[in-house]
């Protein structure tokens, strides 16, 4: 069963979803991005850093800029793929 009729439609749907999700994250003040693959966000390094974190220092997983940057990169890469296949 196909949910979309074409790759361009799929990519356009993903872009719309990423835009919506980024808007929701911005409004909610989301400041943690947890990746499903630990190399995407350096999870292992961050877990290690927690053990050396001193009181008052920033938490390695909490960074609103990282969350926004991840969503921006995902959207821009998807937009680039869409532009590539439309050319």
């Amino acid at each position: 069963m196909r949910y979309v009729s074409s790759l361009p439609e799929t990519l356009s749907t993903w872009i719309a979803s990423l835009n919506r999700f980024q808007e929701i994250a911005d409004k909610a003040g989301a400041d943690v991005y947890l990746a499903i693959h630990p190399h995407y966000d350096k999870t292992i390094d961050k877990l290690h850093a927690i053990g050396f974190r001193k009181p008052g220092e920033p938490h390695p997983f909490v960074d609103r800029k990282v969350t926004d940057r991840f969503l921006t990169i995902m959207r821009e890469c998807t937009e680039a793929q869409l532009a590539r296949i439309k050319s």
Side-chain angles (χ1 to χ4, degrees), residues 32-46:
V32 175
Y33 164 66
L34 296 175
I36 59 173
H37 299 288
H39 63 277
Y40 281 8
D41 67 345
K42 299 183 179 180
T43 298
I44 305 303
D45 294 341
K46 290 177 182 180

Side-chain angles (χ1 to χ4, degrees), residues 44-54 60:
I44 305 303
D45 294 341
K46 290 177 182 180
L47 287 170
H48 182 71
I50 289 172
F52 294 95
R53 183 173 160 244
K54 293 180 177 40

Side-chain angles (χ1 to χ4, degrees), residues 4-6 9 14-15 26 29 31-32 36 39-40 42 46 48 50 52 57 60 68-70 74 76 87:
V4 291
S5 61
S6 65
E9 183 182 350
W14 288 352
I15 292 165
D26 286 344
D31 57 5
V32 175
I36 59 173
H39 63 277
Y40 281 8
K42 299 183 179 180
K46 290 177 182 180
H48 182 71
I50 289 172
F52 294 95
E57 289 185 339
D68 185 60
R69 184 172 63 236
F70 170 76
M74 291 298 293
E76 288 176 350
S87 299

Side-chain angles (χ1 to χ4, degrees), residues 11 16 18 22-24 26 29 42 44 66 73 77 85:
L11 295 173
L18 285 161
Q22 191 160 25
E23 182 180 316
I24 291 168
D26 286 344
K42 299 183 179 180
I44 305 303
V66 169
I73 289 169
C77 287
I85 64 170

Side-chain angles (χ1 to χ4, degrees), residues 59-74:
H59 193 286
F61 282 95
V62 179
D63 189 334
R64 191 168 182 172
K65 289 179 187 175
V66 169
T67 303
D68 185 60
R69 184 172 63 236
F70 170 76
L71 293 170
T72 299
I73 289 169
M74 291 298 293

